Amino acid sequence: MSGDIDDKPQPLIEHLIELRTRLIWALGAFFVAFLVCFYFAKPLFNLLVVPYKWAVVWAGLDVTKAELIYTAPQEFFFTQVKVAAFGAMVIAFPVIASQVYKFVAPGLYKNERAAFLPFLIASPVLFLIGASLVYFFFTPMVMWFFLAMQQSPGEGEVAISLLPKVSEYLSLIMTLVFSFGLVFQLPVITTLLVRVGILESQWLADKRKYFIVVAFIVAAVLTPPDPLSQIGLALPTILLYEVAIYAARLVERNRAKAESAEVVETETE
């Protein structure tokens, strides 16, 4: 195993030069992606508004009258900047992740590098699954919940209509995307911790009841103050925790098999 890693001490300046190179590549990828996304900021924002249109249809309203507003001259401009930054992070993430891996890979053994690579693939895939769940289901559901609170004019009642601001709508959907995206990283994080020996599957199983409480607390903090989105985040989190326990047991089982094979091979020799 000693041949899998370079044990020679490296001067600090070489590590700093390597870090600078990786940062330049990562920031360069983000900057290029940001410029492209900013050029297409309006179409991208219109794409993010599609779930709101679905919610309008679900509420039985005229979709042609669905509109968003901005109340400050600079509000929509900065909203487009946020959309561009959001899109740039998504597009540039593979490059950023690869640069992080290239920086830490020389300090890992060959088997550690082999174990680390699958998580680089699983992490963005799980994030996209969580983001897709937000886009196609939870955002329309949350907006439908808010639209249902509108009031039509009548005897003794005034008209109360929802006119979302572009910045607030973007903040809502970005909060939901990042919340679900991070929650969907739970199996990846726990499996990594089990691989390095920090956690055990039995410990995760024993702490299940505490995690359920924490899941609802975190969902209440990360999501808008409505029960639908809070429950909608808490339930997948609990389900993913069960997936994490199962993945941890698989890791421990494979480790036990590998250790048994090594013992048999040693005894044979």
Side-chain angles (χ1 to χ4, degrees), residues 87-102:
M89 278 300 300
V90 174
I91 295 174
F93 178 81
V95 177
I96 296 173
S98 66
Q99 294 305 310
V100 172
Y101 175 75
K102 288 179 180 179

Side-chain angles (χ1 to χ4, degrees), residues 59-172:
L61 304 175
D62 186 0
V63 70
T64 60
K65 295 182 180 179
E67 61 178 335
L68 302 176
I69 65 170
Y70 61 98
T71 57
Q74 74 280 7
E75 181 179 346
F76 189 45
F77 170 77
F78 285 113
T79 299
Q80 292 180 72
V81 171
K82 291 179 182 178
V83 170
F86 180 72
M89 278 300 300
V90 174
I91 295 174
F93 178 81
V95 177
I96 296 173
S98 66
Q99 294 305 310
V100 172
Y101 175 75
K102 288 179 180 179
F103 180 71
V104 302
L108 301 175
Y109 290 107
K110 187 176 180 180
N111 63 328
E112 292 173 335
R113 292 197 295 269
F116 191 72
L117 275 174
F119 296 105
L120 288 179
I121 300 173
S123 183
V125 169
L126 289 173
F127 187 92
L128 288 176
I129 292 174
S132 299
L133 193 62
V134 169
Y135 185 86
F136 291 104
F137 181 68
F138 282 103
T139 298
M141 182 182 66
V142 169
M143 294 307 299
W144 169 79
F145 176 81
F146 292 143
L147 284 167
M149 295 182 178
Q150 294 185 123
Q151 179 175 283
S152 301
E155 187 176 350
E157 297 179 343
V158 297
I160 301 177
S161 301
L162 174 64
L163 289 175
K165 296 173 63 177
V166 290
S167 59
E168 293 176 350
Y169 176 79
L170 179 64
S171 177
L172 171 66

